[in-house]
Amino acid sequence: MLRDAALSALVAFGLFGPMIGLKTEVGVAAIELIYRPIAVLIAVAAVFFGRLALLAWKSTRPVAKAAPGRIAGGMAYVGRYLTPIVLVLTITMPFYAERYWIDLGILVLTYVMLGWGLNIVVGLAGLLDLGYVAFYAVGAYSYALIAQNFGLGFWTCLPLAGILAAFWGVLLGFPVLRLRGDYLAIVTLAFGEIIRVVILNWASLTGGPNGMSGIPRPTLFGLVFNSGGGEGSFADFFGLEPSISHRVIFLFYVILGLALLTNWVSLRLRRLPLGRAWEALREDEIACRALGIDVTVTKLTAFAIGAAFAGFAGAFFATRQAFISPESFTFIESAIVLAIVVLGGLGSQLGVALAAIVMIGGGEMFRDFQEYRMLIFGGALVVVMVVRPRGFLSGRTPSVSLGTKRKIGADLMTEGHG
Amino acid sequence: MAYVLQQLINGLTLGMIYGLIAVGYTMVYGIIGMINFAHGDVFMVGAFLSLIALTLLSGLGVTSVPLALALTLVFAAGIAALYGWTVERVAYRPLRGSFRLAPLISAIGMSIVLQNFVQVSQGARVKPMPELLPGGIPLMNSDGFAVQLSWMQIVIVIVTLALLAAFTYLVTKTPLGRAMRACEQDQKMAGLLGIDTDRTISITFVIGAALAAVAGLMFLLYYGVIDFYIGFIAGVKAFTAAVLGGIGSLPGAVLGGLAIGLIETFWSAYFSVQYKDVAAFSILVLVLIFMPTGLLGRADVEKV
Amino acid sequence: MGAPLLSVEALTMRFGGLIAVDALSFEARAGEITAVIGPNGAGKTTVFNCITGFYRPSEGVLRLTHGDAANFLLTSMPGHQITRRGKVARTFQNIRLFAGMTVLENLLVAQHNYLMPNVINGLLAVFGLGGHGRAERIAIEKAKLWMHATGLTARADDPAGSLPYGDQRRLEIARAMCTDPELLCLDEPAAGLNPRESDELSNLLVRIRDGRDVAGRSSILLIEHDMGVVMRISDHVVVLDHGRKISDGTPAEIRADPKVIAAYLGEGDEDEVAA
């Protein structure tokens, strides 16, 4: 055991020695090196003791693992009580929380919505989409462009943004959905990058790297939210003291509504033939084909519906920020949303919401350690895949039953043919 | 004409770098059938290791350029190989036989880890490096445009070709190469016949990572600037090269690399530099849709 | 003798230099069980994959004629349309169930095209439009009938992956039957079954052929190694060897054909016959 840990430490020294120990710094004349032996020592020691602890824990633990089905069952039990609590806490949030927390809540809810949207594609249909952020971008830019060029309001543009994103989903999905899973992942990634690069360089339309600003804010049945109040404003109509926090609260409920809509649609679809076909597709594509299911069309609908929700979220993002730029739509955003879906347990709605709260909310607390945050994201993806490849809250509830519905453990769910 | 020739030279040099990275993708794909998403980042780590080694050597007073290059090559390849080994050991091996998307997601996680690890440990700023081997051989001069084959390009081409020759020998003529090809055909059967598949797969990652690190050194020498983000784009392009050449095929990877290098260079020269990445990505999409077996790949018959 | 349902004409399938099926012609008639037998590697599954659209044949014509004289050229139809319009259903040698879905769900997925005639309809169902509720009730009724016929009623809500092997085989047949096929293609349905289960299977197949005590009827095309099953229930047997047809006739004729005996015994595969 000590030998193993010592070996790990040796490997760690090889890995970290040069990278951490010798930091290259752009000096006055040339590149200079900064020596950091202490940091290397700490990192190597961490690996040594970490490995030791892991081995010790493994040797004390009984070999037989707890049945995955039981974990899933336990989670379902917890979920039954947790869901309403989380929901109530969320809905009442503007009444007890400060502005900062509501802003954070809006951000988290945006990711919850994106996670639920992507969950349709990855969790239900089993299509690994690494370019999901492209549809988010399409939604955001659609809203910004339509609003600025045609003067339409947020509520008119919202469905348009979703439809446009879905349209792009179909357009991009049609040729590539025949590809095998891992090829599909790379192609969607490539598409995501293509869209971003085009936005970045088509400066006359999109403002290029400078982005677009002055995107109109949403209204409530024509009532505007502004800090000055005045004729036709929300504050004026209800006779309230004009306050910017009205808009924040309004935005909070808008995104909450959109997220819940996403949730409702995906839960509903799961129990309909379309959703069942998605899950069947995830389980075995060849069997689906043999049952006369048009595999391409079925995949395309998952892709398009997922894209539409990303489009809605994008439009919301644009109206909330009033400013968008290509920087918000990099691959790393796709990776974050994917991480949320994966950590939450592919296919689990509550899991996705909790993962978004932990990752976005938690990440936001450590904003000063931005790069460490991504380091931890990446590490978490690896660890979760290694420990519980199907995510934490995995397993599925049958969509229909004759008797009582019992949760199906993740161990039975196959994924891999075709 | 002169301009075309110069672009041709530049494109081939760039293509060599892509080819070296693509070999790693294609080998790993051939043997365990997964896209090693973190491979581009191993390349990036290799570039950083090269920068560190070169700076260290110049600080130690090593002035001979060939010696410095040789030492750097060995150092970067060695440490990057260790990275490759660790990535496989930590993120992929426990997932063998797991559900289809698991290794890919784990690989994406590993890619993020490597990227941010380098960002944290080496800083986010772009690192420039002075030109190590300035000058070159002037080839021709017409209409005031001088075509030059730089020393750097010569070094890149020679080292790449030498490595690929050695590597081809390794795969086709040695017992290790035979074991690798056996695992590619049928891992279970290879295991039954006494081949240590785990070890063979590890070695595949080690070799792929070492080649990627060499590519990283070349990239550093050629462009003179690196940052922690280069692995992503270069990785996707090299993957495109591997797919274009026919994934699983080693000569295909090099061929695909050259093709991508040429296309990118000519695209930048004649159309638009801003959209050069779009060109590469579009090729990837088009190849996968219309020619999924690539130039030299075998057709895969779907088993039902 | 029934009308020809499926006619295979000069079917050839090449993989690179290997000829898996060589100019094969035979007919499967409506209302009959047609068995395709032959030693391992004779090309039986390849024939199946051509018929069900998983492979595109190198040469040859596959023609399907329904009872209502509707005519289909299977070689020019996309895979899923062969099941949907051609009404050909199949099972797989290595069972392909949706393991994480329940028995009932498996049977409902099979009725997908009935439940969701098109995408618009499928999306309208989200808002409770398009008459989906009624279709679902009918589909569940049909699933119940097939669960009853295959003895799976008690396991309706169990995940398919947790069923014992024999149950999985029957579920795959029930699932194929839920697509309302005219032709049911079974790839070694008796493989791995014990004698009692084989008997039950034979019984089920005969009932499906005759439409007796089950929710629908279908002609059957069968690949099988279990000669007991083949000889007992087949109306017509086609024998393949090395991709070619070496014999074609009633079970009795096949049994007496020296070429068939040579193909089995000559290649040293004695246990094939014994099995």
Side-chain angles (χ1 to χ4, degrees):
Chain A
M1 209 157 98
L2 270 175
R3 229 188 100 226
D4 190 313
L7 272 177
S8 308
L10 197 65
V11 170
F13 179 72
L15 296 178
F16 298 149
M19 282 313 253
I20 297 182
L22 306 169
K23 179 170 194 245
T24 51
E25 196 64 70
V26 184
V28 190
I31 293 263
E32 293 162 1
L33 283 181
I34 298 173
Y35 298 88
R36 294 186 298 190
I38 307 292
V40 176
L41 203 65
I42 295 171
V44 171
V47 169
F48 177 78
F49 289 112
R51 179 76 185 159
L52 211 59
L54 184 71
L55 289 172
W57 182 66
K58 266 190 181 160
S59 64
T60 54
R61 208 168 58 135
V63 186
K65 280 186 180 174
R70 247 184 40 213
I71 297 175
M75 285 299 183
Y77 184 76
V78 172
R80 201 175 311 146
Y81 295 98
L82 205 53
T83 310
I85 295 174
V86 172
L87 194 62
V88 167
L89 281 178
T90 312
I91 291 174
T92 55
M93 191 167 170
F95 297 104
Y96 62 80
E98 286 171 34
R99 165 89 193 274
Y100 169 79
W101 293 102
I102 299 172
D103 266 329
L104 186 57
I106 293 175
L107 186 68
V108 170
L109 280 171
T110 312
Y111 279 94
V112 170
M113 175 166 179
L114 285 171
W116 278 340
L118 185 62
N119 204 5
I120 294 177
V121 184
V122 181
L124 285 184
L127 306 167
L128 188 49
D129 180 357
L130 295 182
Y132 194 59
V133 75
F135 304 121
Y136 188 44
V138 167
Y141 274 91
S142 301
Y143 170 53
L145 288 171
I146 297 173
Q148 293 199 338
N149 294 329
F150 301 101
L152 296 178
F154 174 72
W155 294 107
T156 327
C157 291
L158 183 68
L160 286 178
I163 289 168
L164 276 171
F167 170 74
W168 276 97
V170 172
L171 209 65
L172 301 186
F174 191 71
V176 302
L177 283 171
R178 283 174 302 146
L179 297 173
R180 289 188 16 199
D182 37 5
Y183 279 5
L184 178 72
I186 295 287
V187 170
T188 50
L189 179 141
F191 270 143
E193 282 298 298
I194 289 175
I195 288 193
R196 191 179 64 83
V197 175
V198 169
I199 290 176
L200 194 61
N201 289 300
W202 195 347
S204 59
L205 184 73
T206 63
N210 299 328
M212 299 178 71
S213 52
I215 299 164
R217 300 291 200 164
T219 56
L220 177 67
F221 299 110
L223 298 175
V224 296
F225 294 87
N226 54 23
S227 47
E231 195 69 23
S233 77
F234 176 79
D236 178 56
F237 188 83
F238 287 99
L240 297 168
E241 187 71 21
S243 159
I244 199 69
S245 61
H246 291 158
R247 178 161 74 208
V248 176
I249 292 170
F250 175 60
L251 284 170
F252 180 85
Y253 281 115
V254 169
I255 186 65
L256 180 62
L258 284 172
L260 289 178
L261 176 76
T262 314
N263 183 37
W264 180 76
V265 170
S266 38
L267 283 181
R268 180 117 180 92
L269 275 169
R270 251 212 75 207
R271 290 188 286 117
L272 291 170
L274 189 56
R276 234 166 6 224
W278 289 339
E279 289 201 86
L281 205 60
R282 181 192 66 203
E283 300 258 333
D284 195 329
E285 186 175 329
I286 288 176
C288 279
R289 196 141 53 111
L291 292 174
I293 294 172
D294 189 333
V295 170
T296 312
V297 167
T298 310
K299 283 183 180 175
L300 217 49
T301 50
F303 215 62
I305 291 175
F309 284 121
F312 292 147
F316 174 79
F317 177 77
T319 194
R320 182 211 171 195
Q321 301 280 328
F323 167 76
I324 48 173
S325 78
E327 254 174 65
S328 309
F329 307 105
T330 55
F331 167 68
I332 214 70
E333 292 296 315
S334 289
I336 290 173
V337 179
L338 179 70
I340 289 173
V341 173
V342 169
L343 300 185
L346 296 166
S348 157
Q349 300 295 101
L350 178 64
V352 168
L354 293 180
I357 293 172
V358 171
M359 288 186 62
I360 304 301
E364 217 48 32
M365 315 255 124
F366 300 99
R367 205 152 184 59
D368 298 339
F369 307 95
Q370 186 70 16
E371 56 262 47
Y372 286 97
R373 172 184 157 206
M374 283 315 296
L375 195 62
I376 293 167
F377 267 20
L381 274 182
V382 176
V383 170
V384 169
M385 278 301 114
V386 171
V387 178
R388 272 183 72 74
R390 301 238 19 142
F392 280 115
L393 282 181
S394 53
R396 64 182 289 272
T397 319
S399 60
V400 57
S401 72
L402 296 181
T404 50
K405 287 185 189 178
R406 287 180 302 262
K407 188 110 174 162
I408 297 171
D411 49 327
L412 277 173
M413 294 161 69
T414 54
E415 198 157 351
H417 305 292
Chain B
M1 182 58 215
Y3 188 61
V4 173
L5 185 64
Q6 183 70 63
Q7 297 308 329
L8 196 67
I9 294 172
N10 294 349
L12 285 176
T13 317
L14 183 61
M16 290 280 179
I17 297 177
Y18 287 149
L20 273 178
I21 313 175
V23 166
Y25 275 113
T26 223
M27 268 198 316
V28 166
Y29 192 91
I31 204 160
I32 53 175
M34 72 164 278
I35 297 171
N36 180 11
F37 205 86
H39 190 61
D41 298 286
V42 172
F43 153 79
M44 179 270 298
V45 166
F48 267 89
L49 288 169
S50 305
L51 179 66
I52 291 170
L54 284 173
T55 318
L56 190 65
L57 286 170
S58 82
L60 291 176
V62 179
T63 46
S64 152
V65 171
L67 180 66
L69 278 184
L71 287 174
T72 303
L73 191 93
V74 171
F75 173 79
I79 303 287
L82 195 61
Y83 271 90
W85 180 84
T86 312
V87 166
E88 193 272 333
R89 194 68 188 76
V90 171
Y92 305 156
R93 187 176 298 181
L95 287 173
R96 250 174 249 158
S98 185
F99 86 113
R100 177 167 48 97
L101 298 181
L104 196 54
I105 293 170
S106 178
I108 292 167
M110 213 60 212
S111 158
I112 296 175
V113 166
L114 285 177
Q115 233 176 65
N116 288 278
F117 168 64
V118 173
Q119 191 191 355
V120 168
S121 63
Q122 294 289 327
R125 283 181 65 182
V126 172
K127 312 276 176 186
M129 208 201 63
E131 215 174 335
L132 212 55
L133 276 176
I137 311 172
L139 286 183
M140 62 189 280
N141 202 327
S142 68
D143 319 328
F145 186 85
V147 180
Q148 199 193 36
L149 183 62
S150 74
W151 295 116
M152 216 61 263
Q153 289 175 322
I154 297 174
V155 168
I156 291 174
V157 171
I158 290 177
V159 171
T160 308
L161 289 180
L163 277 175
L164 287 175
F167 178 69
T168 311
Y169 173 79
L170 181 86
V171 172
T172 51
K173 295 282 190 308
T174 62
L176 172 66
R178 200 154 51 231
M180 282 166 65
R181 280 177 291 141
C183 287
E184 199 173 311
Q185 290 291 323
D186 188 338
Q187 228 180 87
K188 216 178 266 169
M189 196 61 209
L192 287 174
L193 291 174
I195 292 172
D196 186 341
T197 52
D198 277 349
R199 198 173 137 261
T200 312
I201 292 171
S202 279
I203 292 174
T204 309
F205 274 85
V206 163
I207 295 173
L211 290 178
V214 175
L217 171 62
M218 303 295 170
F219 186 92
L220 174 70
L221 295 175
Y222 192 56
Y223 284 102
V225 282
I226 53 170
D227 60 49
F228 69 95
Y229 203 63
I230 57 169
F232 177 69
I233 299 281
V236 175
K237 284 181 190 161
F239 179 75
T240 308
V243 171
L244 180 62
I247 200 145
S249 154
L250 293 174
V254 179
L255 200 66
L258 291 178
I260 296 292
L262 285 173
I263 291 168
E264 185 180 326
T265 310
F266 277 95
W267 182 281
S268 311
Y270 291 99
F271 296 103
S272 111
V273 182
Q274 286 91 18
Y275 285 100
K276 69 177 177 156
D277 294 345
V278 171
F281 290 139
S282 310
I283 292 167
L284 172 64
V285 175
L286 292 177
V287 169
L288 279 177
I289 294 166
F290 295 109
M291 205 173 51
T293 54
L295 295 171
L296 302 178
R298 293 179 299 258
D300 237 2
V301 177
E302 189 176 15
K303 279 262 185 229
V304 179
Chain C
M1 204 180 268
L5 174 64
L6 172 75
S7 66
V8 176
E9 291 157 30
L11 178 72
T12 301
M13 185 73 203
R14 282 185 222 101
F15 297 107
L18 178 85
I19 301 179
V21 179
D22 190 3
L24 172 72
S25 300
F26 71 88
E27 269 180 0
R29 285 180 287 269
E32 291 191 355
I33 295 178
T34 307
V36 178
I37 63 169
N40 284 325
K44 305 178 298 279
T45 298
T46 306
V47 173
F48 255 44
N49 285 338
C50 289
I51 294 172
T52 48
F54 283 91
Y55 294 165
R56 186 125 299 202
S58 312
E59 281 162 39
V61 176
L62 295 166
R63 203 186 308 279
L64 193 75
T65 315
H66 287 173
D68 57 7
N71 213 312
F72 300 93
L73 209 56
L74 299 186
T75 26
S76 59
M77 286 165 84
H80 68 275
Q81 291 287 14
I82 291 181
T83 310
R84 189 172 184 170
R85 291 175 49 232
K87 296 201 168 297
V88 177
R90 74 169 290 176
T91 64
F92 295 88
Q93 203 171 339
N94 46 339
I95 307 175
R96 283 184 175 274
L97 291 168
F98 307 119
M101 304 174 82
T102 65
V103 170
L104 179 61
E105 283 178 307
N106 268 273
L107 297 183
L108 290 182
V109 170
Q111 300 178 60
H112 181 75
N113 287 325
Y114 168 73
L115 285 167
M116 194 186 110
N118 55 55
V119 175
I120 304 294
N121 181 287
L123 293 178
L124 282 178
V126 174
F127 310 103
L129 304 169
H132 163 260
R134 207 176 65 91
E136 175 110 351
R137 275 193 299 280
I138 295 172
I140 289 178
E141 282 313 310
K142 187 199 244 170
K144 275 186 188 164
L145 289 174
W146 278 110
M147 282 191 281
H148 179 72
T150 49
L152 293 169
T153 308
R155 315 223 47 164
D157 297 330
D158 289 344
S162 73
L163 299 184
Y165 189 78
D167 286 358
Q168 294 199 12
R169 282 263 174 231
R170 286 203 306 282
L171 174 57
E172 214 190 4
I173 294 173
R175 190 180 65 178
M177 286 309 295
C178 276
T179 65
D180 280 330
E182 296 260 341
L183 180 66
L184 175 64
C185 299
L186 304 172
D187 197 346
E188 298 198 25
L193 299 187
N194 64 36
R196 193 178 53 81
E197 287 173 327
S198 290
D199 279 348
E200 284 171 10
L201 179 82
S202 305
N203 194 333
L204 175 66
L205 296 188
V206 169
R207 279 188 293 149
I208 288 175
R209 176 192 65 190
D210 300 339
R212 188 157 43 78
D213 306 331
V214 287
R217 65 186 292 177
S218 172
S219 314
I220 293 173
L221 186 65
L222 175 75
I223 292 178
E224 191 46 70
H225 275 305
D226 186 330
M227 286 304 146
V229 172
V230 170
M231 293 303 163
R232 194 158 18 154
I233 66 173
S234 305
D235 301 294
H236 175 194
V237 181
V238 177
V239 191
L240 297 191
D241 190 23
H242 292 107
R244 290 206 181 84
K245 184 168 86 172
I246 57 169
S247 187
D248 187 346
T250 63
E253 286 163 8
I254 295 300
R255 230 190 302 251
D257 190 333
K259 272 187 295 194
V260 177
I261 298 164
Y264 274 98
L265 298 181
E267 315 283 326
D269 254 334
E270 285 101 314
D271 39 309
E272 293 279 4
V273 180

